[in-house]
Amino acid sequence: VFLNRMSRYEVLSEDAMATIERGWRRLLEEIGVAFNHPEALRLFRAAGQIVEGEVVRLDPDFVLEQVAKAPSEFTLHARNPERSFPIGGDAMVFIPVQGPPFVREGDVRREATFDDYTRFTKLAQVYDDFDTAGGLVVEPNDVPLDSRHLDMQLALLTLTDKPYGGSQVSLTGALDSLAMAEIVFGGPEALAREPALYAIINANSPLVYDSRMLDSLLAYSAAGQPSVITPFLLMGAMSPASIPAALVQQTAEALAGAALTQLVRPGAPVVLGSFLSHTDMQSGSPGFGGPESAIGLFCSGQIARRLGLPWRAGGGALTSSQVPDAQAAYEGLNTMLPAFLAGANFVMHTAGWLESGLVSSYEKFVVDLEIVRTLREEFTPLEVDEASLAYGAHQEVGHGGHFLGAAHTLERFRDCFYRPLLSSTENFERWARNGGKDSAARATAVWRAALERYEQPPMDAALRQQLEEFVTRRRSELGD
Amino acid sequence: VFLNRMSRYEVLSEDAMATIERGWRRLLEEIGVAFNHPEALRLFRAAGQIVEGEVVRLDPDFVLEQVAKAPSEFTLHARNPERSFPIGGDAMVFIPVQGPPFVREGDVRREATFDDYTRFTKLAQVYDDFDTAGGLVVEPNDVPLDSRHLDMQLALLTLTDKPYGGSQVSLTGALDSLAMAEIVFGGPEALAREPALYAIINANSPLVYDSRMLDSLLAYSAAGQPSVITPFLLMGAMSPASIPAALVQQTAEALAGAALTQLVRPGAPVVLGSFLSHTDMQSGSPGFGGPESAIGLFCSGQIARRLGLPWRAGGGALTSSQVPDAQAAYEGLNTMLPAFLAGANFVMHTAGWLESGLVSSYEKFVVDLEIVRTLREEFTPLEVDEASLAYGAHQEVGHGGHFLGAAHTLERFRDCFYRPLLSSTENFERWARNGGKDSAARATAVWRAALERYEQPPMDAALRQQLEEFVTRRRSELGD
């Protein structure tokens, strides 16, 4: 796992932090959060919170007491122990794009299929840069809706040997995901002891958790699996058109959800999520990668650190662009670099996100992989010691010569600099001779070659059979 | 001028800073710097430095004493006083691409002409984002070499009313530039009191200043005009293949040049320059926008602040890419964003740089303008106070509604978020209906419209005639 040992870029003064804290305390206490789920309401009521209809008005100190029960760092376990990783502290975990119903492959944009699902999942397995494939690299629209979570969980467990994301679209999805994990990881107690899959729990902002998300939160928390509690705030639509107001709302929503996980199972791992961007007031569409989301990242990281929980940065390489062009790259880097500066622990949508999250793009996947590799190198502390000054090379070269043939250079030319995956430094003539392709066009060959290199990780045949029998039985019970 | 009020991102420990200081002191003292110019050698000898042939071995404390005479902040004056700006402190000055012999316009790559020179200069005048057009937005290959500096200086003085860059390719160029400035700014004393043009003085690394650059350094310093002393280091070629070694060399070279300016005229304004990137060891070509140059920027800014002089970040939006594609954008942003984090005062190559500096691209100019505007917004401190929390909006909207129609949103929807110049948030259908153009293709219309808006700033007719007569006379004296 990548450890971000560089310093954090913090932009909020102590005064500003105090103002924001007063804000989320007031929201929790005076306006409260609606939970559309009787069990959630029962838990809050039993814990002494004020429940009025579906709205829970929360004592902020009570919320902080609950959250303090969650671990500040925990490990997500893989069926291949070498793939396990920590979440929290300096660790920074990368997950490819999640959720799009469409794909873009070269110049073709079309509905995503299960074949796309397996291809992106394989790419996330091939590249060590990804700690997990997540759970939903695309929405596979060609398999039946009611049972597609079974197909996806089976793919994640058999095509990869990394930790993964469970289904969280329905109670059925959550329970089936947990049941399959129990088959692989040795039953519910073992799974709770060593969590292996996570759930993304989005608030239905402003200030609501809906019943489907709460079904999943309750199921995963009860099983001791981590919930990544994520308010999804497009300022101007789901929150006020103000960054401080959005930070307040985001913190209130995330803390309320995190507190609930601890009422279900004290000590259950939980990640504070953020996903803060803006609404383009001209088009009415979401906008990504602008200054507001970068500032939001700096602040969200600082607030999460204060609260002592691992932190999910919304994305990743987010963009509103329709194609993997310059806009896609500058917007993507302008979310990814701030995520590094802000000390994100859990980075969703690291690679492939396009068109405000409607599209998983094969070519953008490669562009973003180059970006994240560059940043991992950029956020590795520089060693400065006498040897690094290469004084001998200066003695050798002197004035006006060059260092290409210096002993110091020859000893290290192979690995002294970052070696790009996609970027070209070819001069114009050579580049033109090689077809004059821009980076998006060159990316096609990169991901195709990576898919060729894919090897399925081994799995015990009996275990595999057990999983397949479970899927077959459940599929038929679900009527598909 | 933009003031960067955000905190600086510093990555070097005090130990690392001390190691680097030991390094540049040793280089200056033991290996020294070659100055291919008798007057420079005379000045150093007269000041008690050890001169052996053309190599000057410098006492580092002497160098620091000289550098301490230069102002930590100064003003560059424009013929339109509203266009004057400070260099140093929190001020951050933006200059478009400088120097390329080629242009790219849409899909066409060709030699740059004087028409390109005037068009890019006009773009730098139209957009307030640029504090100056610089002096050499492209190399105009269709006008005679010996007198083209006259054409360019006349264009800068008449097409813009901003401060500008003088010619520094030859002594003739420097002296003619100064003479023309004296016509406009009221003679040599007035010009020295209120400097109006600057010179980019590159070291011929490693550890050499050549005679043409020294001619210019001596002329501009004597006239009290600022020199921007810039080692141009591609690690592995012009410096050892090690970031700390390159930082040491860069500091030694820049300080030696800066010290010389103070021997010429104590108190002459000077800017410490950096331009640190790497050589792609596969292609042998320069590489830009990778992790090494970003780390170099963080460190260079920290070192320059310690030395108390204004600091030039190499670029800007640098890239090796051949076209304004995803690579151009992520490499560009990965030099521009670090320049903001590192607290650059003087940002060359802010917009238009392509193909490792061989090409000025009209479309990349627009891409980069979007990047710098985004970052100016991103590096504006966030105001966090009670009003910014928009509590009333939460009271109005409550749970599960939306904020699009809230009073708070309606009051500020016009300017609550950054409004892009180029980026699109259009949904796929609308974008496709509008031609399905990527950002580079859309950029063409943006710069064309900006050129349409260009208005020549007024100039006194007699002054203009004086300038034209000077140019005509000098052109004929130079035989063109």
Side-chain angles (χ1 to χ4, degrees):
Chain A
V1 73
F2 175 73
L3 298 179
N4 183 348
R5 302 283 198 204
M6 298 279 273
S7 63
R8 307 293 176 250
Y9 193 65
E10 304 209 320
V11 304
L12 294 170
S13 67
E14 276 306 314
D15 266 6
M17 288 288 279
T19 302
I20 288 170
E21 177 165 353
R22 277 197 301 278
W24 60 255
R25 282 177 172 266
R26 176 172 54 188
L27 265 195
L28 286 174
E29 212 160 8
E30 297 184 7
I31 297 192
V33 178
F35 290 85
N36 304 153
H37 198 293
E39 174 62 8
L41 296 173
R42 189 192 67 73
L43 285 164
F44 280 120
R45 196 181 293 111
Q49 302 305 293
I50 300 168
V51 178
E52 293 164 340
E54 290 194 323
V55 174
V56 183
R57 293 205 285 117
L58 291 141
D59 171 1
D61 291 318
F62 163 81
V63 167
L64 290 179
E65 273 163 40
Q66 299 312 308
V67 164
K69 296 175 187 167
S72 60
E73 190 171 340
F74 60 90
T75 297
L76 206 58
H77 293 266
R79 69 178 176 90
N80 172 355
E82 288 175 18
R83 305 290 201 175
S84 300
F85 55 75
I87 295 183
D90 286 341
M92 197 169 178
V93 168
F94 297 97
I95 306 149
V97 58
Q98 301 286 301
F102 299 98
V103 294
R104 178 174 279 275
E105 182 175 349
D107 291 332
V108 177
R109 179 188 189 271
R110 54 176 169 74
E111 281 214 9
T113 64
F114 193 71
D115 182 52
D116 294 309
Y117 186 90
T118 60
R119 289 201 288 167
F120 276 110
T121 299
K122 287 175 178 177
L123 286 172
Q125 171 74 7
V126 168
Y127 286 114
D128 287 339
D129 310 82
F130 301 101
D131 297 285
T132 156
L136 191 63
V137 282
V138 297
E139 184 70 48
N141 292 299
D142 60 340
V143 290
L145 183 62
D146 286 343
S147 62
R148 86 172 48 140
H149 64 278
L150 296 166
D151 303 303
M152 293 193 275
Q153 294 290 302
L154 184 63
L156 292 165
L157 281 165
T158 55
L159 296 179
T160 87
D161 58 359
K162 300 180 177 183
Y164 61 101
S167 167
Q168 63 262 309
V169 291
S170 66
L171 182 57
T172 305
L175 295 178
D176 282 341
S177 298
L178 288 165
M180 289 173 77
E182 286 165 10
I183 292 171
V184 174
F185 293 94
E189 288 76 19
L191 186 63
R193 220 165 31 241
E194 299 199 332
L197 72 171
Y198 65 84
I200 303 294
I201 306 296
N202 288 336
N204 190 357
S205 305
L207 300 171
V208 174
Y209 282 87
D210 70 25
S211 58
R212 285 193 318 159
M213 279 292 160
L214 288 171
D215 275 338
S216 288
L217 181 151
L218 296 169
Y220 283 99
S221 298
Q225 306 307 296
S227 295
V228 181
I229 310 282
T230 312
F232 176 76
L233 301 186
L234 297 174
M235 291 183 288
M238 293 86 129
S239 87
S242 152
I243 298 173
L247 292 168
V248 160
Q249 182 184 330
Q250 168 183 287
T251 308
E253 290 179 353
L255 283 177
L260 179 58
T261 65
Q262 302 306 305
L263 294 181
V264 176
R265 182 180 180 120
V270 62
V271 176
L272 279 191
S274 67
F275 198 109
L276 198 171
S277 204
H278 72 285
T279 306
D280 180 332
M281 292 296 184
Q282 257 86 53
S283 68
S285 301
F288 294 100
E292 296 83 11
S293 66
I295 296 167
L297 284 165
F298 299 146
C299 298
S300 299
Q302 191 173 347
I303 294 168
R305 264 191 302 289
R306 184 65 61 92
L307 294 168
L309 287 186
W311 171 54
R312 168 193 164 182
L318 307 185
T319 179
S320 303
S321 187
Q322 301 83 3
V323 283
D325 61 352
Q327 178 186 341
Y330 63 67
E331 291 184 337
L333 182 55
N334 199 34
T335 31
M336 189 68 92
L337 209 165
F340 275 78
L341 286 166
N345 298 118
F346 190 90
V347 183
M348 297 266 292
H349 312 302
T350 295
W353 160 297
L354 203 62
E355 219 186 271
S356 298
L358 285 175
V359 168
S360 291
S361 157
Y362 287 93
E363 282 71 26
K364 173 92 172 353
F365 187 95
V366 178
V367 167
D368 293 340
L369 188 52
E370 183 84 298
I371 287 177
V372 75
R373 286 185 172 184
T374 298
L375 294 178
R376 285 167 75 133
E377 194 76 18
E378 196 162 312
F379 282 77
T380 298
L382 181 65
E383 269 188 62
V384 180
D385 56 14
E386 173 58 25
S388 73
L389 302 189
Y391 187 58
H394 282 295
Q395 290 178 307
E396 180 183 342
V397 172
H399 307 92
H402 68 75
F403 290 85
L404 288 166
H408 178 270
T409 309
L410 294 175
E411 275 162 26
R412 62 202 74 214
F413 76 95
R414 266 177 239 283
D415 57 3
C416 54
F417 303 128
Y418 171 73
R419 293 176 76 153
L421 173 76
L422 174 67
S423 301
S424 162
T425 62
E426 288 177 332
N427 65 38
F428 177 74
E429 290 70 23
R430 176 184 291 266
W431 172 79
R433 264 202 314 277
N434 287 342
K437 291 181 182 169
D438 71 12
S439 46
R442 295 195 303 271
T444 306
V446 176
W447 67 260
R448 289 217 173 122
L451 269 189
E452 293 289 322
R453 290 200 304 278
Y454 171 79
E455 286 178 28
Q456 186 156 13
M459 177 179 260
D460 176 77
L463 180 59
R464 164 130 202 162
Q465 198 186 336
Q466 236 185 312
L467 282 172
E468 284 170 353
E469 283 167 7
F470 178 89
V471 166
T472 306
R473 175 171 64 80
R474 288 292 297 140
R475 188 182 283 128
S476 112
E477 288 168 5
L478 292 166
D480 285 334
Chain B
V1 73
F2 175 73
L3 297 179
N4 183 347
R5 301 282 197 207
M6 298 280 275
S7 63
R8 308 292 176 251
Y9 193 64
E10 303 208 322
V11 305
L12 293 171
S13 67
E14 276 307 313
D15 267 6
M17 287 289 278
T19 301
I20 286 170
E21 178 165 354
R22 276 196 304 277
W24 61 256
R25 283 177 171 267
R26 176 172 55 186
L27 266 195
L28 286 174
E29 212 160 11
E30 297 184 8
I31 296 191
V33 179
F35 290 86
N36 304 154
H37 198 293
E39 174 63 6
L41 296 173
R42 190 192 67 74
L43 285 165
F44 279 120
R45 197 182 291 111
Q49 303 306 293
I50 300 168
V51 178
E52 294 164 340
E54 291 194 321
V55 173
V56 184
R57 294 206 283 116
L58 291 142
D59 171 2
D61 291 319
F62 162 82
V63 167
L64 290 179
E65 273 163 39
Q66 299 312 309
V67 165
K69 296 175 186 166
S72 60
E73 189 171 340
F74 59 92
T75 296
L76 206 58
H77 294 267
R79 69 179 178 89
N80 173 355
E82 288 175 16
R83 304 290 202 175
S84 302
F85 55 75
I87 295 183
D90 285 341
M92 196 168 180
V93 167
F94 298 96
I95 306 149
V97 59
Q98 301 287 298
F102 298 98
V103 294
R104 179 174 280 275
E105 182 175 349
D107 290 333
V108 176
R109 180 190 189 267
R110 55 176 168 74
E111 281 212 12
T113 64
F114 193 70
D115 181 52
D116 293 309
Y117 186 90
T118 58
R119 289 200 289 167
F120 276 110
T121 299
K122 287 176 178 176
L123 287 172
Q125 171 73 8
V126 168
Y127 285 114
D128 288 338
D129 310 83
F130 301 101
D131 298 285
T132 158
L136 191 62
V137 282
V138 298
E139 184 70 49
N141 292 299
D142 60 341
V143 290
L145 183 61
D146 285 345
S147 63
R148 81 173 53 141
H149 63 278
L150 297 165
D151 304 304
M152 291 192 277
Q153 294 290 302
L154 185 63
L156 292 167
L157 281 165
T158 55
L159 297 179
T160 87
D161 58 359
K162 300 181 177 183
Y164 61 103
S167 169
Q168 62 262 308
V169 290
S170 67
L171 181 56
T172 305
L175 296 178
D176 283 341
S177 298
L178 288 165
M180 291 174 75
E182 287 164 10
I183 293 171
V184 174
F185 292 95
E189 289 76 21
L191 186 63
R193 221 166 28 241
E194 299 199 332
L197 71 171
Y198 66 84
I200 302 295
I201 307 295
N202 288 337
N204 191 355
S205 307
L207 299 172
V208 175
Y209 281 87
D210 70 25
S211 59
R212 287 193 316 159
M213 279 292 159
L214 289 170
D215 275 339
S216 288
L217 181 152
L218 296 169
Y220 283 99
S221 298
Q225 305 307 295
S227 295
V228 182
I229 310 281
T230 313
F232 175 75
L233 302 185
L234 296 174
M235 291 183 287
M238 294 87 131
S239 88
S242 150
I243 297 173
L247 292 168
V248 160
Q249 181 184 332
Q250 168 181 287
T251 309
E253 291 179 351
L255 283 178
L260 180 58
T261 65
Q262 302 307 303
L263 295 182
V264 176
R265 182 181 181 119
V270 62
V271 175
L272 279 192
S274 66
F275 197 109
L276 199 171
S277 203
H278 73 285
T279 306
D280 181 330
M281 293 294 182
Q282 257 86 55
S283 68
S285 301
F288 293 100
E292 295 84 11
S293 67
I295 296 167
L297 284 164
F298 299 146
C299 298
S300 298
Q302 191 173 349
I303 293 168
R305 263 191 302 288
R306 183 67 58 94
L307 293 167
L309 287 185
W311 170 56
R312 169 194 164 180
L318 307 185
T319 179
S320 303
S321 187
Q322 302 83 2
V323 282
D325 61 351
Q327 179 186 341
Y330 62 69
E331 291 184 337
L333 182 55
N334 198 34
T335 32
M336 189 66 94
L337 208 165
F340 275 79
L341 287 167
N345 298 118
F346 190 91
V347 183
M348 298 266 291
H349 312 303
T350 295
W353 160 299
L354 203 62
E355 219 187 272
S356 297
L358 285 175
V359 167
S360 291
S361 156
Y362 288 93
E363 281 71 26
K364 174 91 170 354
F365 188 95
V366 178
V367 167
D368 294 339
L369 189 53
E370 182 85 295
I371 287 176
V372 75
R373 286 185 172 183
T374 298
L375 294 179
R376 286 167 76 133
E377 194 77 17
E378 196 162 313
F379 282 76
T380 298
L382 182 65
E383 270 189 63
V384 180
D385 57 13
E386 172 60 23
S388 73
L389 303 189
Y391 187 59
H394 281 295
Q395 290 179 306
E396 181 183 342
V397 172
H399 306 91
H402 68 75
F403 291 84
L404 289 166
H408 178 270
T409 308
L410 294 175
E411 274 162 28
R412 62 203 74 215
F413 76 96
R414 265 177 241 284
D415 56 3
C416 54
F417 304 128
Y418 171 73
R419 292 176 75 154
L421 173 75
L422 175 66
S423 301
S424 162
T425 62
E426 287 176 333
N427 65 38
F428 177 74
E429 290 70 24
R430 176 185 291 265
W431 172 80
R433 263 201 316 276
N434 288 342
K437 291 181 181 169
D438 71 12
S439 47
R442 294 195 304 270
T444 306
V446 176
W447 67 260
R448 290 214 171 124
L451 268 188
E452 294 287 326
R453 290 199 305 277
Y454 171 79
E455 287 179 28
Q456 187 158 13
M459 176 178 262
D460 176 75
L463 180 60
R464 166 133 200 160
Q465 197 185 336
Q466 237 185 310
L467 281 173
E468 282 171 355
E469 282 168 7
F470 177 89
V471 166
T472 305
R473 175 170 65 78
R474 287 293 295 141
R475 188 182 285 128
S476 116
E477 287 169 7
L478 292 167
D480 286 332

